[in-house]
Amino acid sequence: FAEVIDRLADRGVASVLIGGKAAGDRAAAHAVLGLAKSGPIDALGRTSVKGLVALLARARLHVGGDTGSTHV
């Protein structure tokens, strides 16, 4: 994910990490944040479902696993 984030940043596209408050989500996000050179926005655990829908509505692209945000 960090490489995708950095390649998108090279093209002027900002990235936002989303997910829940669970320890596994946070650990995965910290790993990505540590590897990404471009400084993605960390929004883990900071969005409601309504906020997530609004964020995704404005997004040009969603990259993720088989998780809730993929199915919204």
Side-chain angles (χ1 to χ4, degrees):
F1 286 113
E3 186 173 342
V4 171
I5 289 168
D6 288 338
R7 288 185 182 213
L8 289 170
D10 289 345
R11 291 165 177 78
V13 178
S15 294
V16 180
L17 295 180
I18 56 174
K21 295 179 182 178
D25 287 349
R26 177 59 50 198
H30 278 296
V32 172
L33 289 166
L35 293 170
K37 298 176 183 95
S38 59
I41 298 165
D42 179 2
L44 252 74
R46 297 182 183 157
T47 56
S48 63
V49 173
K50 185 176 179 179
L52 174 63
V53 170
L55 178 64
L56 292 173
R58 295 185 54 129
R60 297 190 320 188
L61 174 70
H62 175 275
V63 177
D66 188 13
T67 64
S69 61
T70 301
H71 300 284
V72 172

